[in-house]
Amino acid sequence: MADEVVIYAFGDSIIKGHCYPEQGSVEHVAASLAFPTRVIKMARNGATICPSALRAPDLGGQILKQCDEVPADAPLPDLIVFNGMTNDIYQGFVHTRMGAMTGEDDYDADDFDHRTFAGCLEATIAEFHRRWPSAPIIYLAVHKNGSIDFMDQLSVHKLIVAVCAKWNVAVADVWNDADLDTRKDSDRIAYSFDALGADGLPSTPKTAECGRSEYQPSGTHPNFPAIDRYYRPILGKTIRMVVRR
């Protein structure tokens, strides 16, 4: 379709859709926009900003390397959306190698420390710019997640916002601008999923087929009610602001 907006989507399971890859968070939001979109998704479960410790072929991997997975015949992107942080915290990377952003005027790839989260984040954004220089970029800062350390989330979120400001990356800031917080059991149960429900879609309290506990659902993956209520207003507004259709 000539007028469709092509969105490349990189990141982890929240963008992939976890066990419902037919429609992750970006596709679900994009479908609600007033203009036609085409989402080309490279995100995968377990992916990280840092080089991943997960070695399974269908899990993990570094988000930077997802650039190599764009289909050769794919049209150029009108927009890039990506996320990353959750699995870096989960795998313990930020405790030992958070690192720091390079100087405000330093865009030299040789200065990025690929041993650190900060260096890998800058390298990822720089690679997006190098490959697709005309495409604006949005970072999707996901909700407050009760399954990983909150203070780690806070520290990494502040770093990400600073890096995005330096690199002129828009932030769809669900973490800061929405009150979805799965540290609260009510939010975790109502708005997250780890398995499909009886209807074959990401589960909700009404469709969940297995018993719930203090650990399940984990609070990590937003279900469709969560995306509709919290992600769609924020990510949708950011997409409309950046794409200007």
Side-chain angles (χ1 to χ4, degrees):
M1 186 179 298
D3 294 328
E4 69 182 0
V5 171
V6 176
I7 303 173
Y8 285 5
F10 302 94
D12 58 31
S13 58
I14 294 176
I15 285 184
K16 181 179 180 181
H18 186 42
C19 56
Y20 193 76
E22 294 88 343
Q23 191 174 88
S25 56
V26 174
E27 291 124 314
H28 196 78
V29 172
S32 71
L33 298 172
F35 46 83
T37 60
R38 176 182 174 188
V39 178
I40 299 174
K41 182 168 62 179
M42 281 60 64
R44 66 169 58 186
N45 290 4
T48 50
I49 295 294
C50 292
S52 179
L54 298 177
R55 302 303 181 193
D58 59 340
L59 290 175
Q62 189 177 19
I63 292 166
L64 172 63
K65 295 182 179 179
Q66 292 175 5
C67 293
D68 294 330
E69 298 174 12
V70 175
D73 59 350
L76 292 175
D78 298 298
L79 173 65
I80 294 167
V81 180
F82 82 109
N83 79 325
M85 175 184 80
T86 299
N87 296 303
D88 291 272
I89 294 174
Y90 182 76
Q91 295 187 42
F93 298 149
V94 299
H95 289 294
T96 57
R97 43 182 169 147
M98 173 88 81
M101 182 178 74
T102 56
E104 291 287 346
D105 298 319
D106 185 357
Y107 297 93
D108 188 341
D110 291 337
D111 293 339
F112 305 146
D113 186 349
H114 289 254
R115 298 168 299 178
T116 69
F117 179 91
C120 289
L121 178 61
E122 289 203 75
T124 300
I125 296 171
E127 184 65 5
F128 292 156
H129 280 305
R130 186 188 72 81
R131 294 192 185 218
W132 307 290
S134 64
I137 304 169
I138 294 174
Y139 177 82
L140 174 60
V142 303
H143 63 278
K144 298 177 180 70
N145 183 350
S147 71
I148 54 176
D149 186 87
F150 181 78
M151 294 309 296
D152 284 347
Q153 292 178 70
L154 179 61
S155 298
V156 179
H157 180 268
K158 288 180 178 178
L159 172 62
I160 290 170
V161 169
V163 170
C164 287
K166 171 185 172 178
W167 285 88
N168 195 31
V169 171
V171 178
D173 201 348
V174 177
W175 199 92
N176 201 49
D177 295 342
D179 62 1
L180 176 58
D181 185 346
T182 61
R183 292 177 298 169
K184 299 182 291 187
D185 280 345
S186 57
D187 281 6
R188 177 179 63 82
I189 292 169
Y191 293 117
S192 77
F193 83 103
D194 293 324
L196 302 183
D199 56 1
L201 299 175
S203 66
T204 68
K206 291 183 178 180
T207 66
E209 295 186 300
C210 59
R212 292 184 177 259
S213 70
E214 62 180 312
Y215 305 110
Q216 295 294 329
S218 65
T220 299
H221 311 106
N223 58 19
F224 288 166
I227 295 172
D228 287 335
R229 180 170 181 175
Y230 298 106
Y231 280 70
R232 183 172 55 162
I234 294 169
L235 180 55
K237 178 181 178 180
T238 309
I239 291 174
R240 290 191 297 271
M241 176 185 69
V242 168
V243 174
R244 299 185 183 280
R245 288 290 179 94

